[in-house]
Amino acid sequence: MAGTIEDKATADYVAQKFRDAGLDTEIVEYKVWINYPAEISVDLTAPAGVAMHGPTREHVDGDPDDNDPRVVMPFNGMSPSGDAEADVVYANYGTPEDFEKLDKLKVDVHGKIVLVRYGQNFRGVKVFVAQEHGVAGVIIYSDPADDGWRRGDKYPDGPWRPDTGVQRGSVGYMFEFPGDPTTPGVASVPSLPDSQRISPQKSAQIPTIPVTPLSYHDVWPVLQHLGGADSPREWQGALPFTYHVGPGPAKLKMHLKQDYQFRTLWDVIGRVRGSGLPDEWVVAGNHRDAWVYGAVDPNSGTASMLEAVHGVGELLKSGWKPKRTLVFASWDGEEEGLIGSTEWVEQHEADLANAAAYFNMDVAVSGTKFGASSVPSLKQFLRDVTKVVPSPKGGTLYEAWQKAAQPDAASAQSPAEAIGDTRRLPAAQVKGDVPVGDLGSGSDYTAFLQHLGVPSSDVSSSGPYGVYHSVFDNFAWFKKFGDPDFVYEQQMARVFGLEAVRMSDADVLPYDYEEYGKEIVAYLDAAQKRAKDKFGDHALDFNVVNAAAHHFESAGVKILAKERNPPTDATRMNHALRDAERALLVPQGLPHRPWFRHVIYAPGEYTGYAAVVIPGVNEALDKGDSERARQQLAVLAAALERAAKTLEGYR
Ligand SMILES: [Zn+2]
């Protein structure tokens, strides 16, 4: 866990591996505001004669590691301390629609403790919506319908969540800004004076109501003793009784005392200086901090990254040098709020103005199904990388990926989506090729792409994974269910290493702005339809922005043709390609969210991890604010014209 002595020990270990491979390595410290749990209890105080005292210690017979006294008790990062005692209301997944439904059922959530289940959206969004509705406290639990016995056998017989398994996780409002909650836009270097920090009590990232997670073992008697109306049928989970919405008679008493302090984080940064273009960085990173053991999240990624670094070390020994500077990063504090990556990006804003790409890995392996998400300009690059990587299933990874992406296979809800870890959405098929998703938030690419406009991607191999953020995400689980022979680990090491090496050595930056243009045209078509539904046929004029999108697309088509037939000196072409993504940033940021400066991608305020595309426009439409939508269409049109002219600047 970030900031602990075990975290420092793993930083030293990773730094040694980087040095062994010949990387110029440093451990970079930041001082950031995060919480550990001090006292956490949730007790059932009514009806009389029914008892529940949680959180129960996570345990199954047969697990070798769940009894270590250092295992942190279940809690939510960024929850404030607080006490609440109130009748309970069940609010399904805690989406805005779920709260509307309660309103229609005449269930008042004001001052109540709201019980919601994990899944469908980022946990911080559940809390944000609850807070807007005047809720006194939030309990988030894992229902067996979402990642427990309804999905399959539970651990240790199968990969799904056992009765006492709890999902920890941050409830920080990362869609406001990620990183240290006291330093938006500023790096939390140890020498930063307190006067340049905002007070935690004023930070828009920290919820104002207490929140804590429980297992379905613990919430069972709570749900069982809710009265009121039957819940809507789609709200029914997999516990063996009918779920009612309440309020009461079940009443809970929450007591949360969080130990908030400025704690030290340790990013490990290893560099290989570029031989030709040392000021152009290619960054590849993965976080290292976990909630408990984190065999899958994030250490399946760290193991793959270390093997990729080992491979780069062998290349260096053979005399190879990258053309651009290669930077490998082991981020700290991702789980609390993408902190290590965000602070480093904020510190290196000037250096990263020339960066060619950021490649992320987080959960590298939880199963056998490959998936990727990226900015559209890198989608074809990713497909090309997978064409030279062997699949453990036989053939190339590209072929295995295509096979798994057939419509019938793709329609099933992925386990990641079921538990709310929806980092990637299924993408529209462009060019009829294998789909690559869009980047929302939820991992360390956020600051690179959405704050600085560095083209980014995220890759993983996923499968049935019900132990996310619990004590059971450990080596025993991984050996039995994740990747028993470590062959998918090898696959991901090859993908990650090839991304970095190919990009660092590319003569012409392998960006495809034709695909980017096509996707933006499609986003605008969808937004225009929504605008017509909301405001009628002619309320909003899309002509200017549509023309700008087509201009960007045709500039993309033209430069792609030139990329296929490049001049001997591609410097000017590369600058145009590199600066086009930055042209999609706006200095003032999104409405109410100045840290987020990218006009095409942002995490949604009401979806969390999942991407909102053309967020300025789409969130104005969500709010029914036609004036803001009009203004955001103009901002978007100007950005697209700027990006088109950047591409056309190369002739
Ligand atoms: Zn992670």
Side-chain angles (χ1 to χ4, degrees):
M1 187 164 63
T4 61
I5 52 169
E6 291 82 6
D7 181 25
K8 178 60 166 51
T10 60
D12 290 335
Y13 176 84
V14 166
Q16 191 54 49
K17 291 286 178 194
F18 280 11
R19 288 188 189 108
D20 290 348
L23 274 53
D24 181 9
T25 302
E26 57 177 338
I27 295 181
V28 182
E29 295 190 356
Y30 297 104
K31 226 178 82 187
V32 308
W33 184 253
I34 55 176
N35 62 312
Y36 297 162
E39 294 167 18
I40 305 276
S41 65
V42 183
D43 289 276
L44 194 60
T45 57
V50 188
M52 190 281 282
H53 175 70
T56 302
R57 193 172 177 87
E58 297 176 287
H59 173 73
V60 297
D61 289 337
D63 184 83
D65 294 315
D66 62 4
N67 274 322
D68 191 302
R70 292 171 298 178
V71 172
V72 70
M73 74 176 94
F75 77 112
N76 284 123
M78 298 295 164
S79 165
S81 296
D83 290 273
E85 183 168 5
D87 283 345
V88 176
V89 171
Y90 172 60
N92 197 30
Y93 293 106
T95 65
E97 296 73 33
D98 291 335
F99 279 90
E100 270 167 39
K101 189 91 190 181
L102 285 172
D103 211 42
K104 282 196 192 117
L105 292 168
K106 305 251 181 298
V107 176
D108 184 11
V109 298
H110 202 269
K112 305 293 192 300
I113 289 177
V114 163
L115 178 64
V116 294
R117 51 173 164 162
Y118 277 114
Q120 286 201 0
N121 58 6
F122 166 53
R123 63 185 90 72
V125 167
K126 301 173 194 290
V127 178
F128 186 67
V129 178
Q131 182 180 314
E132 284 188 329
H133 283 81
V135 164
V138 179
I139 303 286
I140 319 179
Y141 82 102
S142 303
D143 197 283
D146 298 300
D147 63 5
W149 67 56
R150 171 77 66 73
R151 307 298 302 275
D153 278 334
K154 55 196 187 184
Y155 183 70
D157 300 319
W160 296 103
R161 193 176 297 273
D163 305 31
T164 57
V166 184
Q167 182 186 140
R168 294 160 185 77
S170 175
V171 291
Y173 298 160
M174 287 171 240
F175 39 83
E176 302 288 349
F177 66 91
D180 183 340
T182 71
T183 63
V186 174
S188 296
V189 294
S191 61
L192 186 76
D194 285 355
S195 61
Q196 289 187 31
R197 294 176 180 265
I198 58 173
S199 102
Q201 288 71 33
K202 290 194 181 128
S203 175
Q205 197 194 94
I206 302 182
T208 59
I209 52 175
V211 191
T212 209
L214 288 177
S215 64
Y216 58 79
H217 169 271
D218 282 347
V219 302
W220 190 311
V222 183
L223 266 169
Q224 204 171 8
H225 290 90
L226 281 184
D230 290 8
S231 67
R233 283 306 77 205
E234 64 277 15
W235 291 25
Q236 176 72 38
L239 294 178
F241 46 80
T242 297
Y243 291 21
H244 292 249
V245 293
K251 190 177 215 179
L252 282 174
K253 182 177 175 171
M254 298 172 68
H255 168 67
L256 311 188
K257 199 167 151 196
Q258 311 285 355
D259 175 15
Y260 268 101
Q261 286 182 37
F262 284 106
R263 294 188 161 90
T264 301
L265 299 189
W266 300 277
D267 285 350
V268 186
I269 306 292
R271 287 186 177 78
V272 185
R273 191 179 153 84
S275 59
L277 299 165
D279 297 334
E280 291 189 11
W281 296 2
V282 173
V283 188
N286 152 254
H287 75 92
R288 191 188 66 255
D289 66 299
W291 283 118
V292 189
Y293 301 104
V296 169
D297 178 10
N299 289 312
S300 63
T302 301
S304 281
M305 177 168 76
L306 290 179
E307 188 52 21
V309 166
H310 179 202
V312 166
E314 293 300 307
L315 278 173
L316 292 171
K317 272 187 216 154
S318 77
W320 171 84
K321 283 188 170 58
K323 186 189 295 180
R324 296 179 180 80
T325 292
L326 259 180
V327 182
F328 284 97
S330 169
W331 309 120
D332 203 350
E334 188 271 355
E335 294 294 0
E336 282 75 4
L338 318 178
I339 300 180
S341 59
T342 300
E343 299 311 313
W344 189 82
V345 164
E346 289 170 346
Q347 188 175 2
H348 293 281
E349 179 160 352
D351 303 311
L352 290 166
N354 300 325
Y358 172 66
F359 299 116
N360 193 63
M361 233 176 0
D362 185 334
V363 171
V365 182
S366 64
T368 65
K369 189 179 172 189
F370 182 77
S373 44
S374 75
V375 288
S377 53
L378 286 179
K379 289 184 179 180
Q380 192 53 41
F381 171 76
L382 282 172
R383 296 182 191 112
D384 290 343
V385 163
T386 63
K387 287 173 185 169
V388 297
V389 171
S391 166
K393 295 168 186 160
T396 67
L397 171 56
Y398 180 73
E399 288 158 355
W401 187 13
Q402 261 189 326
K403 213 170 173 182
Q406 298 307 315
D408 53 324
S411 63
Q413 191 191 34
S414 80
E417 285 157 350
I419 58 175
D421 184 20
T422 46
R423 269 185 267 277
R424 59 192 62 81
L425 294 176
Q429 301 249 139
V430 173
K431 293 181 177 174
D433 210 327
V434 56
V436 179
D438 294 328
L439 293 168
S441 185
S443 196
D444 291 308
Y445 50 77
T446 297
F448 286 92
L449 176 64
Q450 293 163 353
H451 195 54
L452 296 190
V454 179
S456 300
S457 78
D458 188 47
V459 292
S460 70
S461 180
S462 58
Y465 171 47
V467 296
Y468 176 65
H469 287 186
S470 76
V471 74
F472 308 112
D473 182 354
N474 60 26
F475 192 72
W477 185 95
F478 193 84
K479 267 297 277 177
K480 208 163 170 190
F481 302 110
D483 186 12
D485 300 315
F486 300 93
V487 287
Y488 290 89
E489 285 287 323
Q490 293 178 8
Q491 170 191 291
M492 297 312 289
R494 291 180 175 120
V495 170
F496 194 65
L498 275 169
E499 286 179 318
V501 166
R502 280 194 171 189
M503 185 61 73
S504 69
D505 262 358
D507 293 322
V508 174
L509 287 169
Y511 303 156
D512 177 349
Y513 279 102
E514 180 180 349
E515 184 157 358
Y516 215 141
K518 282 197 162 69
E519 295 217 359
I520 292 172
V521 167
Y523 300 156
L524 278 166
D525 282 349
Q528 194 163 2
K529 285 197 188 84
R530 294 183 62 218
K532 277 185 183 163
D533 291 345
K534 282 234 160 172
F535 305 120
D537 270 357
H538 303 291
L540 285 172
D541 183 355
F542 276 71
N543 288 333
V544 174
V545 76
N546 283 336
H550 285 289
H551 184 192
F552 177 62
E553 185 191 348
S554 74
V557 172
K558 280 182 210 146
I559 201 162
L560 190 61
K562 289 177 186 158
E563 286 171 70
R564 288 178 177 140
N565 205 347
T568 328
D569 181 359
T571 308
R572 285 181 51 243
M573 178 187 271
N574 282 337
H575 285 183
L577 287 165
R578 193 187 65 200
D579 294 341
E581 184 81 48
R582 273 77 171 183
L584 298 171
L585 299 180
V586 288
Q588 74 275 20
L590 298 177
H592 320 302
R593 301 195 283 166
W595 190 91
F596 287 99
R597 299 194 286 215
H598 202 286
V599 295
I600 311 297
Y601 299 106
E605 281 186 288
Y606 294 97
T607 58
Y609 289 145
V612 170
V613 298
I614 51 171
V617 174
N618 274 321
E619 295 195 328
L621 295 178
D622 289 342
K623 290 243 186 264
D625 185 341
S626 62
E627 190 44 51
R628 202 217 284 182
R630 193 169 296 125
Q631 183 243 336
Q632 288 298 309
L633 283 169
V635 169
L636 178 59
L640 290 170
E641 286 293 348
R642 214 162 44 234
K645 287 190 184 113
T646 304
L647 291 175
E648 287 172 347
Y650 173 71
R651 288 183 201 286

